[in-house]
Amino acid sequence: MATKTLLIVAHAPSPNTEKLAQAAYDGANHHDININVVLKSPQDTQPEDVIAADALLLGTTENLAYMAGLTKDFFDRCYYPVLEEKQGMPFALYIRAGQDGTGTKLAMKTITTGLRWEWIQEALILQGEWQEVFAEQVEELAMTLAAGVEAGIY
């Protein structure tokens, strides 16, 4: 059986958001999970990367009560090329939010509803001042998605 692929698209403009991206990668690469994990920035992710993936974990910052501009650019470039190819794709989201993250979450719900992607859980909103526990939460989210993809649950 071919190894499945989890694509992590993580906007990481700061040292703390880089920690989150690395935590996602590390969680998905847990030694008990056998899947291919690809970590990319939104600007480096192409439609072909999404088409090749079996699931997608997206990490973004909240900017002006909305997703990061580079995250929006990712969807602008990839939406239509993947629309028919990836319906039903398992999806998870974490938002690094200085405020409440609701605008970003709502925008993501709208976009992914159009794409017909399947959320494996509600968005993980990492709200307020930086806390080290944020990285642990992202690692757990990535591990959950990766294990579910490997097991065929998602």
Side-chain angles (χ1 to χ4, degrees):
M1 184 165 119
T3 301
K4 295 180 181 177
T5 298
L6 170 59
L7 175 61
I8 302 170
V9 179
H11 179 59
S14 70
N16 286 337
T17 52
E18 288 175 11
K19 287 180 188 178
L20 298 177
Q22 187 63 49
Y25 185 79
D26 292 345
N29 272 306
H30 187 275
H31 62 84
D32 288 334
I33 303 170
N34 182 28
I35 66 168
N36 181 40
V37 181
V38 177
L39 173 61
K40 291 195 156 211
S41 65
Q43 65 267 31
D44 293 335
T45 306
Q46 300 302 318
E48 298 79 30
D49 299 314
V50 179
I51 291 169
D54 295 291
L56 191 143
L57 173 59
L58 182 70
T60 189
T61 54
E62 172 192 62
N63 294 356
L64 305 171
Y66 195 68
M67 73 185 81
L70 288 174
T71 304
K72 173 70 167 64
D73 175 71
F74 158 73
F75 282 114
D76 287 344
R77 288 180 295 101
C78 294
Y79 189 95
Y80 288 107
V82 307
L83 179 61
E84 296 299 322
E85 301 275 337
K86 299 311 292 185
Q87 291 182 18
M89 183 166 68
F91 174 78
L93 169 69
Y94 68 87
I95 302 166
R96 176 62 189 109
Q99 300 299 317
D100 66 6
T102 56
T104 304
K105 178 181 165 184
L106 179 59
M108 288 293 180
K109 287 278 189 181
T110 301
I111 292 167
T112 57
T113 296
L115 287 166
R116 296 182 186 94
W117 289 356
E118 297 294 327
W119 288 59
I120 67 153
Q121 70 174 52
E122 277 299 309
L124 173 61
I125 300 176
L126 309 166
Q127 185 177 358
E129 294 295 317
W130 172 260
Q131 301 171 46
E132 290 300 323
V133 71
F134 290 166
E136 296 169 21
Q137 292 171 322
V138 169
E139 183 175 7
E140 183 178 318
L141 174 61
M143 191 182 312
T144 299
L145 179 56
V149 168
E150 180 193 36
I153 296 169
Y154 311 125

